[in-house]
């Protein structure tokens, strides 16, 4: 086991094995098996390129040799920041075969996040595209290399001074045969974060592949399924619920879209015969708006998943009439637990709930402030434990003591209620996080950056409700003598290398913060202030 990771107590791991959840399979073996059974079928389509299971399997083997020759070995951490490209698959499976661990960064992360991931995970390598969405990722690599000159940077495209990924595919008669156990950590996923920086989430082959198997079953995937990936595939939702890996598990085909707009996605759905895709609520709204004015034939689409943030019942009700396909709500988290509405659930359940746990081994508790179970139907804090929910974050002993109960339940930070039939309704949040249309912002992380500005005395960041994104972020700033402008502060954050989605949408200057009876800053009161202001009820000095 990788140092800094907590595993399941033996009675639980025995149970999950005995019950057939963990079948002892690794990612490397999973791909090999599909390549042997259905080598000629297409695994991934990206623009005009189709890669079969056999080719993907071979390419992963070749790349594993090249990565090994570069010095990457079992247990090494490698920060992977690749957008929706076939190389993402090749890199992941090559690393899985080596027993090295991808750390999944998102394409929108910038130097502040990347430097932290590289440093905290003690990464030996960083894999990037040359340019993506108008941004040159090699600038991030230079900054990371300034901090650690030994870091190996691998680039797909124009590598400039770095190693070119294309040169690492080595057709050697000797395959990489690292001994990888299914109980090993396969990769580190990112948490949305609530206290300071994102935590890293260690997921094993056993637990993740189990979640893929159940997800694929629930979503009724098979060899004829075509999954369209419009969200960035490194995120846990399009990666695994059932996402790209669940599709490969089922032997289906993944189609990669470079972006989520209807202009890119609708023609792909028509041309590729897409059967299932996954969206966050703001995108679902955008697609709903677009559909009436386009004449693409989307009749192949059977399931439209919406998750990552609360989807309003009003919008949910419009999906079937507009798309003629089933809506599936998905409420999940990179730490583990995923809830789905089932495809044959009654309409009212699909529209009004966020689904129920995917596994009968998921344990759910909904509790009050003192960890006592609330009455059925009442709102409380969601705690969970199960065969694919972690027992601790990577190298975070102190935080783990708060984020998990003594008996191993993960405190999700979500406020939920449960229907009499066991479906979960997300009612709110009790974590210092903003969910900006599915993108998670840890308030404290951004507050710490702002506190580094000379003219900022104190700061508190809260969510403000937004019709399109659900929530946007608002920073309340108490300035020192000479107040900075909002523009200056935003520029300051950008220069510190913060991902754009974390830069506050609005900055309000104030002289003091409302306090709770205990003297802490009352974020609840701040949310009320900005809400009243947006509704023109008060004017803020
Ligand atoms: C309300 N809040 C939701 C929903 C997630 C599948 C789907 C999503 C994620 C994900 C994921 C929500 N309604 N339908 O990993 O495998 C909020 C909750 C949750 C947090 C987790 C998956 N779906 N959320 O979004 O790790 O607050 O995972 O605890 O990014 O998103 O965020 P994340």
């Amino acid at each position: 086991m990788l140092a800094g990771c907590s595993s399941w107590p033996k009675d639980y791991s025995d149970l999950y094995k005995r019950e057939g959840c963990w079948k002892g399979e690794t990612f490397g073996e999973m791909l090999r098996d599909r390549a042997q059974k259905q080598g000629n079928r297409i695994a991934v389509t990206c623009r005009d390129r189709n890669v079969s299971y056999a080719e993907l399997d071979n390419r992963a083997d070749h790349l594993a040799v090249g990565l090994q020759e570069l010095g990457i070995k079992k247990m090494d951490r490698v920060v992977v920041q690749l957008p929706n490209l076939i190389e993402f698959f090749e890199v992941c499976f090559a690393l899985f075969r080596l027993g090295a661990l991808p750390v999944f960064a998102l394409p929108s992360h910038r130097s502040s996040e990347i430097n932290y991931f590289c440093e905290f995970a003690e990464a030996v390598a960083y894999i990037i595209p040359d340019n993506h969405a108008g941004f040159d990722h090699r600038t991030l690599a230079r900054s990371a290399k300034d901090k650690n000159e030994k870091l190996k940077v691998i680039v797909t495209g124009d590598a400039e001074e770095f190693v070119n990924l294309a040169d690492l595919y080595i057709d050697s008669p000797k395959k990489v045969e690292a001994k990888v156990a299914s109980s090993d950590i396969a990769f580190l996923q990112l948490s949305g974060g609530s206290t300071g920086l994102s935590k890293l989430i260690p997921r094993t082959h056993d637990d993740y592949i189990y979640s893929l198997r159940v997800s694929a079953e629930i979503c009724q995937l098979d060899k004829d399924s075509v999954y369209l990936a419009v969200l960035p595939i490194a995120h846990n939702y399009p990666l695994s619920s059932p996402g790209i890996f669940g599709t490969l598990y089922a032997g289906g085909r993944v189609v990669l879209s470079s972006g989520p707009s209807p202009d890119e996605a609708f023609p792909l759905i028509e041309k590729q015969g897409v059967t299932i895709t996954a969206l966050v609520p703001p995108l679902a709204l955008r697609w709903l708006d677009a559909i009436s004015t386009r004449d693409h034939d989307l009749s192949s689409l059977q399931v439209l998943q919406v998750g990552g943030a609360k989807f309003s019942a009003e919008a949910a009700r419009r999906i079937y009439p507009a798309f003629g396909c089933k809506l599936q709500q998905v409420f999940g988290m990179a730490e583990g637990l995923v809830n789905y509405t089932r495809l044959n659930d009654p309409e009212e359940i699909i529209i009004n709930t966020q689904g129920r746990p995917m596994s009968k081994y998921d344990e759910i508790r909904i509790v009050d402030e003192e960890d006592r179970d609330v009455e059925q139907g009442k709102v409380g804090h969601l705690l969970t434990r199960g065969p694919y929910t972690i027992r601790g974050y990577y190298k975070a002993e102190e935080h783990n003591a708060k984020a998990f109960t003594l008996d191993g339940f993960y405190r999700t930070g979500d406020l939920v209620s449960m229907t009499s039939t066991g479906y979960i309704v997300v009612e709110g949040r009790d974590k210092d996080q903003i969910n900006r249309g599915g993108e998670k912002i840890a308030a404290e992380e951004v507050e710490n950056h702002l506190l580094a500005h000379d003219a900022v005395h104190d700061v508190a960041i809260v969510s403000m409700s937004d019709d399109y994104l659900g929530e946007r972020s608002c920073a309340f700033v108490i300035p020192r003598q000479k107040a900075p402008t909002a523009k200056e502060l935003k520029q300051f954050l950008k220069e510190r290398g913060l991902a754009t989605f974390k830069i506050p949408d609005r900055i309000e200057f104030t002289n003091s913060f409302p306090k709770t009876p205990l003297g802490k800053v009352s974020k609840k009161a701040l949310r009320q202030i900005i809400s009243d202001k947006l509704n023109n009820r008060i004017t803020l000095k």
Side-chain angles (χ1 to χ4, degrees), residues 12 331 333 337 339 357 361-386 389 404-418 422 424-425:
Y12 282 90
F331 163 41
M333 52 208 72
L337 179 71
N339 303 275
Y361 302 100
D362 282 318
E363 296 173 71
I364 298 290
R365 288 186 63 200
I366 302 176
V367 300
D368 65 14
E369 301 295 327
E370 268 83 51
D371 281 357
R372 287 175 306 220
D373 294 309
V374 299
E375 261 173 64
Q376 189 268 311
K378 293 274 179 321
V379 179
H381 303 264
L382 173 65
L383 312 183
T384 185
R385 186 168 76 170
T389 295
F404 295 82
T405 63
L406 285 175
D407 53 356
F409 278 82
Y410 166 56
R411 297 182 190 276
T412 65
D414 292 311
L415 296 173
V416 305
S417 63
M418 190 180 269
I424 292 178
V425 178

Side-chain angles (χ1 to χ4, degrees), residues 49-349:
R49 220 179 126 200
N50 288 310
V51 175
S52 70
Y53 277 89
E55 273 173 277
L56 180 58
D57 187 50
N58 260 322
R59 302 264 303 163
D61 274 340
H62 296 173
L63 184 55
V65 174
L67 292 171
Q68 191 174 47
E69 286 190 2
L70 205 63
I72 297 175
K73 53 183 192 315
K74 191 170 174 202
M75 301 281 227
D76 280 349
R77 272 79 65 203
V78 175
V79 174
V80 176
Q81 189 187 28
L82 289 172
N84 294 6
L85 297 173
I86 290 175
E87 286 80 357
F88 179 92
F89 294 75
E90 296 171 345
V91 163
C92 287
F93 283 97
L95 292 172
F96 293 152
R97 290 222 163 122
L98 274 168
L101 282 57
V103 179
F104 287 123
L106 296 171
S108 54
H109 286 140
R110 292 295 176 256
S111 59
S112 167
E113 291 89 8
I114 297 297
N115 290 343
Y116 159 67
F117 300 147
C118 287
E119 198 184 325
F120 187 75
E122 299 165 79
V124 301
Y126 172 41
I127 306 184
I128 49 170
D130 49 4
N131 284 286
H132 174 66
F135 180 77
D136 184 345
H137 284 253
R138 293 162 299 197
T139 59
L140 299 180
R142 286 182 196 112
S143 156
K145 242 186 130 81
D146 277 348
K147 308 254 171 335
N148 171 11
E149 59 175 39
K150 290 212 203 103
L151 185 76
K152 297 175 183 67
V153 174
I154 304 166
V155 183
T156 160
D158 180 356
E160 293 187 341
E161 72 266 40
F162 305 117
V163 177
N164 197 325
L165 184 76
D167 295 337
L168 295 178
Y169 294 80
I170 299 173
D171 187 357
S172 150
K174 236 180 118 223
K175 287 188 180 151
V176 168
E177 298 286 2
K179 276 204 171 50
V180 181
S182 62
S183 54
D184 286 346
I185 305 298
F187 54 81
L188 296 169
Q189 190 46 282
L190 304 183
S191 77
S194 53
T195 53
L197 299 160
S198 287
K199 301 286 175 289
L200 302 188
I201 299 172
R203 301 290 303 256
T204 64
H205 295 263
D206 267 332
D207 90 71
Y208 213 68
I209 291 178
Y210 171 63
S211 84
L212 301 180
R213 186 165 75 242
V214 182
S215 296
E217 263 164 40
I218 289 174
C219 300
Q220 298 176 9
L221 296 190
D222 60 24
K223 291 189 182 55
D224 296 322
S225 301
V226 182
Y227 176 91
L228 179 69
V230 294
L231 300 170
I233 52 182
H235 186 271
N236 198 59
Y237 169 30
L239 193 68
S240 69
S241 299
I244 59 166
F245 283 170
T247 303
L248 296 189
Y249 185 89
R253 180 158 68 101
V254 172
V255 174
L256 297 175
S257 176
S258 52
S261 75
D263 290 342
E264 289 157 288
F266 288 4
L268 276 176
I269 296 175
E270 177 170 356
K271 182 165 173 227
Q272 304 289 348
V274 168
T275 59
I276 174 167
T277 189
L279 300 177
V280 287
L283 283 176
L285 295 177
R286 222 166 124 190
W287 285 30
L288 277 168
D289 279 348
I291 185 128
S292 56
T293 57
R294 314 286 160 102
D295 55 5
H296 292 288
D297 175 5
L298 307 187
S299 58
S300 60
L301 199 60
Q302 294 162 8
V303 181
L304 186 68
Q305 297 183 298
V306 181
K310 178 87 180 241
F311 195 36
S312 73
E314 302 81 76
R317 208 175 283 287
R318 290 167 56 204
I319 294 289
Y320 179 74
F323 289 91
C325 69
K326 292 198 168 159
L327 164 68
Q328 179 177 52
Q329 295 217 37
V330 191
F331 163 41
M333 52 208 72
E335 287 81 357
L337 179 71
V338 181
N339 303 275
Y340 294 102
T341 55
R342 305 306 198 255
L343 300 186
N344 54 2
D345 274 339
E347 198 190 347
E348 288 311 306
I349 295 239

